[in-house]
């Protein structure tokens, strides 16, 4: 059994997160309630709940059990393959594939909070006006929306249309979240206000508070940057090395990959067998070399056609787009997240707290040890209250455009909007 209360507060807000693990749902929630400081929090503006799929058959009981013990104006949450938080000793903790319940109580004076539930079966037309998309969230595009938290049921279709529509309605606004983990129980995977549901749920945040997003893709490029010469939907048919003319209008991508592999060392050639990805330039039609590795949106390779050397990618590809092969490994993922978090610390206000939406393929499976992503965050922000989930897909922006990712860690930092309202360092957590 694990239980821990981590507290963060600022002059204008407060965030407290608790994590409990017990084979009994009632006992896990009782463990949360036994945290004296959490119990004395009073009325929260927002309660965010993350539950492991170990409790899938009892998801409909989670909110009633919690709402008997805790008070909040808005409730939001879902289930995942694991829950992220802080243990009783104040260490970051990622409970993978085991019973766990995480609860964050947040008070945000001066915030505008608008919860929403969206039926993905009846989305507005992407070619129509943006007002219907705004109405899904319950906010006007003229309103001050500073960020969106978004959770999606794994049975839903139309997720990319949803993200595109929300970007259309609220351009430039960070949208961060994830897809809940699939399970065999009935009723859905999303927790919203007082019920269990499907579709998508979320929260629009405005007023004096904002969301800062950090998306760690965990990959490094290998070989040269290519230009797509021929493609059909998500299938790359011909590539050409930038700056080099290839007779016949390009070369099959498998041939290009073979040339790249020939230049790799033995360790990287082994990674190609199971950790090879495609990076598509986020600035699709620019022929300039990438400014950084972050210019690429990393996508999985979903198939290879040995007859013509074509490669199928888990996204649409366009002629003229820049493309580069990438490798993913634990060392690269550590370095990238450490860099992004330090960059965030140096350029943004101190956050009140953070949520992490991590791919189920990270954690022990990527690093060979537990708690790496969350530990890196708390190395950058000591004692920062965090909560999170291992997801079936992560939502976050790359260069201002919201994407559905895989294998990423998508972080949402809740910050005071004005620099003068930066959060104070939280007090030393009590021993419990």
């Amino acid at each position: 059994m694990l239980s821990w209360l981590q507290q963060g507060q600022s002059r204008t807000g407060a965030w407290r997160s608790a994590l409990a693990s017990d084979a009994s749902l009632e006992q896990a929630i009782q463990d949360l309630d036994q945290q004296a400081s959490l119990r004395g929090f009073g009325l929260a503006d927002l309660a965010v709940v993350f539950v492991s799929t170990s409790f899938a058959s009892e998801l409909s009981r989670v909110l009633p059990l919690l709402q008997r013990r805790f008070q909040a104006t808005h409730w939001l949450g879902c289930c995942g393959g694991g829950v992220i938080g802080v243990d009783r000793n104040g260490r970051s903790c990622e409970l993978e594939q085991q019973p766990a319940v995480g609860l964050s109580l947040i008070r945000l004076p001066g915030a505008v909070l608008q919860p929403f539930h969206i039926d993905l079966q009846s989305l507005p037309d992407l070619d129509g006006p943006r007002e219907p998309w705004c109405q899904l969230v319950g906010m006007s595009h003229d309103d001050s929306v500073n960020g969106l938290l978004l959770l999606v049921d794994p049975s839903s279709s139309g997720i990319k249309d949803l993200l595109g529509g929300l970007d259309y309605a609220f351009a430039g606004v960070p949208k961060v979240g994830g897809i809940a983990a699939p399970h065999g129980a009935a009723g859905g995977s999303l927790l919203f206000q007082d019920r269990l549901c499907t579709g998508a749920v979320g929260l629009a945040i405005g007023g004096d508070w904002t969301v800062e997003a950090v998306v760690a893709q965990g990959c490094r490029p290998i070989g040269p940057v290519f230009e797509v010469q021929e493609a059909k939907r998500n299938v790359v048919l011909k590539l050409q090395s930038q700056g080099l003319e290839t007779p016949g209008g390009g070369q099959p991508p498998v041939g290009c990959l073979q040339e790249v592999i020939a230049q790799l060392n033995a360790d990287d050639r082994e990674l190609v067998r199971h950790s090879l990805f495609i990076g598509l330039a986020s600035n699709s039609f620019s022929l300039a070399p990438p400014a950084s590795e972050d210019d690429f949106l990393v996508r999985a390779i979903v198939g290879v056609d040995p007859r013509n050397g074509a490669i199928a990618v888990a996204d649409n590809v366009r002629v003229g787009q820049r493309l580069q092969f990438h490798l993913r490994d634990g060392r690269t993922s550590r370095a990238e997240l450490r860099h992004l978090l330090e960059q965030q610390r140096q350029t943004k206000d101190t956050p009140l707290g953070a949520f992490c939406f991590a791919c189920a393929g990270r954690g022990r499976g990527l690093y060979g040890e537990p708690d790496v992503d969350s530990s890196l965050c708390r190395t950058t922000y000591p004692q920062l209250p965090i909560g999170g989930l291992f997801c079936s897909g992560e939502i976050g922006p790359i260069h201002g455009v919201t994407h559905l990712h895989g294998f990423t860690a998508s972080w949402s930092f809740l910050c005071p909007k004005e620099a003068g309202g930066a959060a104070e360092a939280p007090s030393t957590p009590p021993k419990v």
Side-chain angles (χ1 to χ4, degrees), residues 243-264:
L244 297 176
E245 292 296 332
T246 304
Q251 182 180 357
V254 168
C256 296
L257 175 59
Q258 290 171 338
E259 294 177 6
V260 170
I261 293 173
Q263 303 301 315
L264 299 178

Side-chain angles (χ1 to χ4, degrees), residues 266-278:
D267 290 341
D268 283 352
R269 285 198 295 272
E270 180 61 28
L271 281 175
V272 167
R273 295 167 58 89
H274 52 78
S275 299
L276 178 67
F277 294 81
I278 292 286

Side-chain angles (χ1 to χ4, degrees), residues 142-157:
D142 295 325
D143 292 331
S144 178
V145 179
N146 303 324
L148 293 175
L149 292 177
L150 187 63
L151 304 172
V152 183
D153 189 87
S155 66
S156 300
S157 59

